[in-house]
Amino acid sequence: MIIANWKMYGSMALLENYIQHLQHDQLIVCPPYPLITECAKHFRTGAQNCSVYTEGAYTGEVSPTLLHDIGCRYVLLGHSERRKYFDETDEAIAEKAEIAFDHEMIPIVCVGGHSSSWDRERITIEEQIRALPEEIWVAYEPAWAIGTNKWPSPKEIAKAVDWIKEQTGTQWVFYGGSVNADNAKDILAVCDGLLVGRASQDVETMKGLLKKLGS
Ligand code: PGA
């Protein structure tokens, strides 16, 4: 499985390009909110966040009710950019995960810290997963690997993936952080899928990544 996290990039033109060239049942596309309705007509679709409230007078928020209504079936939660720039706490992320389930969306919770030492990283992740409900999907994304062209070795990723599975009981652990055409195959061998940021803006690169999954 490959998750394309468009972040605050993308356009109708990119979506049209995806529709023409990237039809694949192992692809989940997470575009910005305004593109979700159209995207969901063609792809498994996820949001990049959702409100902790079901509905109400919360100007600027997007409710899980509406997300589900427009075809969204997945939601990324706790991305390190949301933790850093929008002060998302582990508690709020856990609450959002519960709400996503209540609205028949699978929460894909991003975890990972800033340390390249696994012992310190493990302590951070322990804290991040403590309050999460069961059956979530998890994306292991060391913050230092996001958008940096640096990534852990497959061996290090395998260690994190196995440990996260043991702790959470989830069957699905993705890896994200500087995934590219060269490292994707080795990383895919040790986890259940990729969470792709920057590289998801390029349709040719995405084609290559999807090929590595097989049909
Ligand atoms: P990147 O981002 O692939 O650009 O490193 C991954 C992510 O932030 O999900």
Side-chain angles (χ1 to χ4, degrees):
M1 193 79 85
I2 292 184
I3 305 169
N5 173 16
W6 285 15
K7 310 194 180 197
M8 205 177 72
Y9 298 108
S11 57
M12 268 312 283
L14 180 65
L15 182 56
E16 276 155 19
N17 222 342
Y18 260 57
I19 293 167
Q20 255 184 13
H21 300 289
L22 295 177
Q23 296 294 334
H24 199 294
D25 71 345
Q26 298 290 300
L27 172 64
I28 300 171
V29 185
C30 301
Y33 288 132
L35 297 178
I36 287 177
T37 306
E38 188 56 30
C39 186
K41 293 178 190 161
H42 306 274
F43 299 101
R44 292 172 186 249
T45 298
Q48 298 173 18
N49 180 31
C50 79
S51 177
V52 76
Y53 304 110
T54 304
E55 62 176 359
Y58 300 106
T59 302
E61 288 289 274
V62 177
S63 78
T65 322
L66 177 59
L67 287 174
H68 183 268
D69 195 28
I70 61 176
C72 195
R73 296 294 176 266
Y74 304 85
V75 55
L76 289 177
L77 293 173
H79 190 281
S80 66
E81 287 151 13
R82 296 217 51 90
R83 293 177 191 265
K84 179 173 170 195
Y85 300 123
F86 302 97
D87 299 323
E88 290 211 345
T89 62
D90 295 330
E91 292 68 31
I93 293 159
E95 238 180 292
K96 288 180 181 192
E98 298 275 8
I99 284 178
F101 275 133
D102 290 346
H103 291 80
E104 291 164 13
M105 295 186 290
I106 296 176
I108 304 166
V109 180
C110 303
V111 301
H114 294 264
S115 175
S116 52
S117 131
W118 170 244
D119 284 340
R120 257 176 285 162
E121 194 70 349
R122 197 168 40 83
I123 293 167
T124 306
I125 300 174
E126 230 157 17
E127 205 53 53
Q128 291 172 335
I129 60 178
R130 194 186 300 281
L132 291 172
E134 285 174 18
E135 317 261 311
I136 47 157
W137 292 8
V138 177
Y140 171 52
E141 295 208 306
W144 57 265
I146 297 176
T148 56
N149 257 336
K150 294 185 194 135
W151 57 89
S153 69
K155 211 170 145 194
E156 289 167 316
I157 295 172
K159 193 172 179 179
V161 169
D162 291 348
W163 183 83
I164 291 167
K165 284 191 171 171
E166 225 176 78
Q167 298 295 311
T168 60
T170 185
Q171 314 260 343
W172 289 93
V173 180
F174 294 75
Y175 168 79
S178 296
V179 169
N180 60 39
D182 297 327
N183 63 20
K185 191 160 182 269
D186 291 344
I187 296 177
L188 269 173
V190 296
C191 64
D192 303 291
L194 307 172
L195 177 50
V196 183
R198 209 173 9 155
S200 71
Q201 293 299 298
D202 185 79
V203 168
E204 284 309 309
T205 306
M206 283 301 289
K207 250 192 217 172
L209 294 181
L210 286 166
K211 272 200 192 121
K212 295 188 199 297
L213 289 176
S215 58

